[in-house]
């Protein structure tokens, strides 16, 4: 049974796309229902955590039955706005940026990089990995033209805040920041920072503590 979700903790929100992906896998395999234990074994997440997450979402399984896979998929699709396309722009087509353009969220039908910017691209634009790519001088103009809501930031650290200040004057709603800089944004823009060096150092520390 699914009910209206209450306030969802941040830790839970980070797991929502994973739940949706694994539920899609189970549905594609023809599975009609699933238990929290089955999800736990597939996702390597404690089953108690899964049940707690689902209760925050208003999803309650039936004792002895578990969860209906299709009901959960519909629920997660609505929760994650999977039926609504989100246009993404990438700023900085270096090594990491190039990898993003080539991958371009192939497993997410509703999320696509449709626009990119790089200092080596001409003002009139060019195609990189089949994505329209322009010089950063045209950021404000093109973000409005392409209806961009989210930006992936993979620029050098020295340019991160300057670019962010320009983005803050556009209609974007979020930035996925891959620079080590803690960028400052106005309240209407959400930022998710992924510092790969910090993540690696954290993993090394955890391994040494085993």
């Amino acid at each position: 049974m699914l009910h209206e979700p209450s306030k969802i903790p941040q830790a839970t929100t980070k797991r929502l796309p994973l739940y949706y992906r694994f539920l899609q896998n189970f549905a594609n395999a023809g599975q009609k229902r699933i238990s929290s234990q089955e999800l736990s074994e597939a996702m390597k997440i404690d089953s108690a955590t899964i049940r707690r997450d689902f209760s925050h979402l208003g999803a309650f399984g039936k004792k002895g039955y578990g969860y209906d896979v299709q009901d959960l998929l519909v629920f997660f699709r609505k929760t994650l706005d999977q039926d609504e396309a989100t246009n993404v722009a990438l700023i900085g087509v270096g090594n990491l940026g190039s990898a993003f353009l080539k991958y371009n969220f192939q497993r997410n039908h509703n999320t696509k990089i449709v626009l990119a910017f790089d200092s080596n691209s001409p003002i009139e634009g060019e195609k990189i990995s089949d994505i329209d790519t322009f010089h950063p001088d045209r950021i404000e103009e093109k973000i409005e033209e392409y209806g961009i809501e989210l930006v992936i930031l993979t620029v050098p650290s020295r340019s991160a805040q300057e670019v962010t200040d320009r983005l803050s004057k556009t209609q974007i709603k979020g930035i996925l920041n891959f620079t080590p800089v803690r960028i400052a944004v106005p309240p209407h823009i959400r930022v998710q920072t992924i510092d790969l060096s910090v993540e690696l150092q954290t993993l090394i520390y955890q391994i040494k503590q085993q």
Side-chain angles (χ1 to χ4, degrees):
M1 182 178 291
L2 303 177
H3 302 283
E4 287 299 315
S6 57
K7 179 73 174 177
I8 302 174
Q10 186 174 3
T12 298
T13 63
K14 289 183 177 181
R15 289 188 284 267
L16 298 187
L18 282 176
Y19 288 135
Y20 184 67
R21 178 179 296 177
F22 276 88
L23 285 167
Q24 283 182 309
N25 292 340
F26 281 111
N28 291 338
Q31 192 157 337
K32 303 297 183 183
R33 61 184 184 181
I34 191 168
S35 68
S36 58
Q37 187 58 42
E38 286 177 293
L39 268 176
S40 173
E41 292 172 0
M43 299 179 64
K44 310 304 180 189
I45 297 175
D46 182 70
S47 60
T49 298
I50 292 174
R51 289 193 296 271
R52 185 167 58 249
D53 285 348
F54 280 18
S55 68
H56 285 306
L57 295 166
F60 301 98
K62 299 176 183 177
K63 190 173 183 179
Y65 179 89
Y67 301 91
D68 185 283
V69 172
Q70 286 302 322
D71 283 351
L72 282 176
L73 276 177
V74 170
F75 182 74
F76 275 98
R77 187 179 298 117
K78 180 180 178 181
T79 301
L80 294 168
D81 286 332
Q82 288 295 299
D83 295 322
E84 183 176 335
T86 300
N87 289 336
V88 179
L90 176 101
I91 303 181
V93 189
N95 291 333
L96 181 58
S98 295
F100 272 120
L101 290 186
K102 291 176 183 177
Y103 169 62
N104 203 1
F105 304 100
Q106 293 172 14
R107 298 183 67 172
N108 294 56
H109 72 276
N110 72 321
T111 305
K112 285 286 183 289
I113 297 173
V114 298
L115 177 66
F117 299 94
D118 190 76
S119 57
N120 292 320
S121 292
I123 287 290
E124 65 273 14
E126 62 179 338
K127 291 279 190 180
I128 299 181
S129 296
D130 207 33
I131 303 298
D132 292 339
T133 307
F134 297 90
H135 190 276
D137 285 351
R138 304 186 72 180
I139 283 178
E140 292 87 350
E141 169 199 352
K142 290 299 178 181
I143 279 183
E144 180 177 358
E145 178 182 333
Y146 283 70
I148 300 299
E149 296 183 59
L150 299 177
V151 168
I152 299 173
L153 196 61
T154 55
V155 299
S157 298
R158 64 182 181 275
S159 306
Q161 188 59 56
E162 178 187 351
V163 171
T164 300
D165 290 342
R166 293 176 61 190
L167 292 172
S168 297
K169 298 173 184 177
T170 70
Q171 78 272 15
I172 70 161
K173 299 176 181 178
I175 298 174
L176 185 58
N177 175 31
F178 278 90
T179 79
V181 177
R182 291 300 183 259
I183 54 177
V185 296
H188 69 276
I189 296 178
R190 298 296 298 269
V191 175
Q192 182 78 34
T193 297
I194 301 176
D195 189 327
L196 297 179
S197 63
V198 170
E199 297 294 334
L200 181 59
Q201 288 170 355
T202 300
L203 179 58
I204 291 172
Y205 172 80
Q206 292 171 343
I207 290 172
K208 289 181 177 180
Q209 297 306 305
Q210 290 180 342

